[in-house]
Amino acid sequence: MKISIIVVITALWASSITKCTVNDENTVWVDPAYTATDSLQTIVVWFEDQYLENADSFLKKAEEFNDRKRGELRKEVMLSLKTLSNSSFDKVKNQLNAPENSEQILAVTQHWIINGFTCTVTTAGFNTIKTLEGVDKIFIKRPSSYSKGEDMGPEFIETKPASRFDVKSVESYPWNIEKIRAPEVWNEFGITGKGTLNVVHDSGFKLDVPALADTIYTNDGEIPGNGLDDDNNGFIDDYHGYNFDAELANLNEPTIRRGTNIHGNMCAALISGTFETNTKQSVGISPDSQWAPVIGSSNFEQAVEWAIEQGADTYSMSFSQPNLGEFRTHWRKVLEQGTLCGVVFISGAGNFAAGESEAPIPVQMRTPEDIPNVVLGVAGVGQDGKRPIFSSQGPVEWNTDYYKDGTVEKPDFATLNFEIPCIDPEGNLANFANGNSLSSPHMAGIVSLMFSANPDLLPWKIKEILLETAEDIGDKGFDYQSGHGFVNAYDAVKAVLEL
């Protein structure tokens, strides 16, 4: 059994955290999805002491931190989260690792983005977990699944990438880059995304496509391909990113989707792509930014922790998970605390308004795009400014045991999602793709430019600026198809520079 242990940073902080008594298992909240069974089940356990103590704590913390600088706040919140996690976990780790529990409690992984841990249990192991000191809630983990494709490239880029983007050399750009008004930002303000890191959470990538190999992130604490965890963060060879579901560095198992496009590549290129192969046609909104690929929908806690520690600015999620039940609460708390660590989380609104995948409102928008306050749920329009019939609509409902918001206005904004020029596995703009998987990276590219203009901006300040600058394109005011309106990079960055 492997237990991931986070190093205690200071004893002083740990000593300030209130101690808990051993649990009465009857006081522990248990996900109603749990049923006693002979099969192993994966659970997520929360300890009682959480950094965000209550359902409304995020908004209160955001107001408290309103005058802080993002980089300083990231370090402070990370320290608090890790110290709290270690304080709670240290009290139970010996019991989790006890020989008598070795066949009942398996694959224990401590989390710091939430004060808790994940493990796989038998019924007897589950009953033991309920008695552990400080345990407060137990969720049934709802893993996501995706179809693997063929291994299509190297695990690492052999030479350290250096962006070849030069705004003076740009000869053309596809209609969507123009519609977002990114070239105006490059030319008038000289802002091209430099200094920002955009994590792309998807199902697979081909890393050596020229438009992306130029800007792929490299973890300088790691030596690629030596089979060692050089930076001691628990992940071997996480040089460009990591596959947290498979627990290995190889991200090159992409499934071809949207015609002949690799889903992860087309999303990454819309954010940080440089030029179409052998041309001077630019393909990305923030072409001097970096991007890091991650796979990890089943182990998203680790993916988010990794992104924060690498200094991520945006985290683009072009996936959508239905029927999570009470487990939605866990997703939301993780992303609330991740936002306080300085990351802007962005998710496409989904494609479930028509056809075989049609779903009723209020569940057309699923998780994570349904999360209020901290996830920018983004719908889209085509070149004509009209909403495609497939684009998911709000509102959504939050009536879990923990979060009781009721009806929540979604989506938040609109970008572009129909007949978008996308790079193929060779880096050519050979195909057009549809779907709100594309609305998310358009927004991530815009936010990347905003952070490049002012890296100290807090995530909720980013949202405030987007609210101020979005163009109303649907019914007057907020509407359930385009949210608060269509976002363009020029007006957003201009507003940042005027602060």
Side-chain angles (χ1 to χ4, degrees), residues 74 78 112 197-201 217 233 235 238 244 292 294 300-316 338 341-343 345:
R74 183 193 297 254
M78 282 177 61
W112 59 259
L197 174 60
N198 307 283
V199 170
V200 181
H201 186 145
Y217 172 70
N233 68 350
F235 308 111
D238 56 318
F244 296 93
V294 300
F300 77 100
E301 304 92 350
Q302 291 178 302
V304 170
E305 289 171 350
W306 184 89
I308 293 167
E309 292 190 313
Q310 301 306 311
D313 298 292
T314 77
Y315 194 104
S316 181
C341 291
V343 179
F345 294 95

Side-chain angles (χ1 to χ4, degrees), residues 147-195:
S147 300
K148 290 186 177 182
E150 297 179 0
D151 193 322
M152 298 185 69
E155 291 186 40
F156 310 105
I157 306 301
E158 293 185 4
T159 58
K160 189 167 183 176
S163 175
R164 61 194 172 101
F165 184 80
D166 178 2
V167 68
K168 295 179 181 178
S169 67
V170 175
E171 296 177 354
S172 62
Y173 28 77
W175 72 264
N176 59 308
I177 303 300
E178 182 176 18
K179 183 82 170 177
I180 288 292
R181 300 183 68 185
E184 295 175 64
V185 176
W186 310 336
N187 289 297
E188 185 169 334
F189 304 132
I191 293 171
T192 54
K194 191 177 292 295

Side-chain angles (χ1 to χ4, degrees), residues 396-457:
V396 301
E397 293 286 337
W398 275 88
N399 291 306
T400 66
D401 183 77
Y402 188 84
Y403 291 108
K404 299 185 182 298
D405 309 65
T407 300
V408 174
E409 291 184 342
K410 284 281 181 173
D412 298 287
F413 300 102
T415 58
L416 299 170
N417 67 357
F418 189 68
E419 294 187 349
I420 307 299
C422 291
I423 62 169
D424 67 11
E426 284 68 51
N428 301 308
L429 285 173
N431 299 285
F432 292 89
N434 304 324
N436 277 314
S437 289
L438 307 171
S439 58
S440 176
H442 277 99
M443 178 64 86
I446 293 169
V447 175
S448 175
L449 292 174
M450 295 170 74
F451 275 134
S452 188
N454 184 349
D456 287 330
L457 281 177

Side-chain angles (χ1 to χ4, degrees), residues 274-294:
T274 53
F275 294 108
E276 180 184 15
T277 301
N278 297 323
T279 77
K280 289 300 179 180
Q281 179 163 224
S282 58
V283 298
I285 293 165
S286 185
D288 264 335
S289 66
Q290 292 184 303
W291 70 284
V294 300

Side-chain angles (χ1 to χ4, degrees), residues 27-42:
T27 68
V28 176
W29 178 89
V30 175
D31 191 334
Y34 174 76
T35 55
T37 175
D38 293 335
S39 302
L40 291 171
Q41 297 185 70
T42 301

Side-chain angles (χ1 to χ4, degrees), residues 54-240:
N54 301 306
D56 62 351
S57 293
F58 171 78
L59 293 177
K60 292 178 179 178
K61 279 288 186 185
E63 183 177 0
E64 176 187 341
F65 293 148
N66 228 10
D67 296 326
R68 301 292 300 276
K69 293 184 177 180
R70 187 169 62 108
E72 295 173 357
L73 185 60
R74 183 193 297 254
K75 293 177 183 178
E76 179 182 310
V77 174
M78 282 177 61
L79 174 60
S80 297
L81 289 169
K82 290 182 177 183
T83 303
L84 190 63
S85 172
N86 281 316
S87 177
S88 297
F89 193 77
D90 284 350
K91 296 170 186 174
V92 303
K93 64 184 181 183
N94 289 336
Q95 290 170 270
L96 291 171
N97 203 25
E100 61 268 26
N101 293 327
S102 62
E103 295 182 3
Q104 300 175 359
I105 304 172
L106 310 169
V108 179
T109 301
Q110 181 187 356
H111 304 306
W112 59 259
I113 192 60
I114 196 82
N115 186 13
F117 60 93
T118 298
C119 63
T120 302
V121 294
T122 62
T123 298
F126 183 90
N127 291 331
T128 296
I129 295 289
K130 288 199 294 182
T131 67
L132 295 180
E133 182 174 352
V135 168
D136 184 51
K137 298 182 187 301
I138 302 177
F139 298 90
I140 297 299
K141 189 159 193 173
R142 307 292 183 89
S144 64
S145 62
Y146 61 88
S147 300
K148 290 186 177 182
E150 297 179 0
D151 193 322
M152 298 185 69
E155 291 186 40
F156 310 105
I157 306 301
E158 293 185 4
T159 58
K160 189 167 183 176
S163 175
R164 61 194 172 101
F165 184 80
D166 178 2
V167 68
K168 295 179 181 178
S169 67
V170 175
E171 296 177 354
S172 62
Y173 28 77
W175 72 264
N176 59 308
I177 303 300
E178 182 176 18
K179 183 82 170 177
I180 288 292
R181 300 183 68 185
E184 295 175 64
V185 176
W186 310 336
N187 289 297
E188 185 169 334
F189 304 132
I191 293 171
T192 54
K194 191 177 292 295
T196 64
L197 174 60
N198 307 283
V199 170
V200 181
H201 186 145
D202 215 288
S203 58
F205 306 84
K206 185 173 186 285
L207 302 185
D208 59 347
V209 176
L212 292 172
D214 289 340
T215 54
I216 194 168
Y217 172 70
T218 55
N219 174 7
D220 290 336
E222 199 71 26
I223 299 170
N226 67 354
L228 301 174
D229 178 17
D230 300 291
D231 58 0
N232 297 310
N233 68 350
F235 308 111
I236 294 172
D237 288 336
D238 56 318
Y239 185 62
H240 293 311

